[in-house]
Amino acid sequence: DNTLWYVEGGIVRHITRAGASLGSFNSGIGAFSCAIAGAHIWIDNGTTAFKFTKAGVNTGVTITTGSFGLGYDPDRNLLWTSHWSPDGVFRAFNPDTGALVFNSGNFVLPNGNARGHDITYGAGKLWIATESLGQDVIY
């Protein structure tokens, strides 16, 4: 809908592209990342992601992420976690039920880069950001 959602501590904010506020709610969760999946917003605190309505109601559905970073894939209707967790595994969940759909093997990024901490979806691909001493790389 051409708007932006982001988390700032426990506060979930919704703004226009010009920066005007469209509202906010206190999730009560010290969050690191969020992902919009249809009519819901998933909020991740680095170990667990919680499913909320866009009006701020916690639905009670959770997933274990093991790390921060969420991305929603609307083509496959999957909620992806980053692979920042110690096992280096990407996980995909059903965003409606929270059920695990996919576990990758241990994925090693090229050129000695560390595990990916951010993940998003666009143009039919998952985009992963990582950081190294030299630069922040996107794969």
Side-chain angles (χ1 to χ4, degrees):
D1 66 357
N2 232 4
T3 65
L4 175 70
W5 291 82
Y6 68 98
V7 293
E8 189 174 42
I11 307 298
V12 179
R13 302 191 188 280
H14 186 201
I15 62 172
T16 67
R17 291 181 66 154
S21 176
L22 296 172
S24 64
F25 65 87
N26 188 339
S27 69
I29 299 163
F32 291 108
S33 62
C34 66
I36 301 299
H40 294 91
I41 183 167
W42 283 85
I43 303 166
D44 180 25
N45 69 4
T47 58
T48 306
F50 303 82
K51 182 180 178 181
F52 283 81
T53 67
K54 290 180 179 178
V57 177
N58 188 333
T59 67
V61 178
T62 63
I63 60 172
T64 300
T65 59
S67 63
F68 59 90
L70 294 172
Y72 177 64
D73 171 354
D75 292 340
R76 294 169 197 83
N77 191 36
L78 293 173
L79 184 68
W80 289 88
T81 63
S82 72
H83 82 316
W84 190 263
S85 59
D87 61 7
V89 172
F90 289 96
R91 290 173 177 80
F93 295 86
N94 179 313
D96 300 322
T97 65
L100 179 67
V101 175
F102 174 80
N103 266 329
S104 74
N106 182 290
F107 185 76
V108 178
L109 294 174
N111 303 320
N113 284 291
R115 293 185 180 98
H117 57 76
D118 290 317
I119 188 166
T120 193
Y121 181 83
K125 299 178 187 211
L126 289 171
W127 296 84
I128 308 155
T130 188
E131 53 191 58
S132 67
L133 295 176
Q135 60 186 347
D136 201 10
V137 181
I138 298 175
Y139 295 95

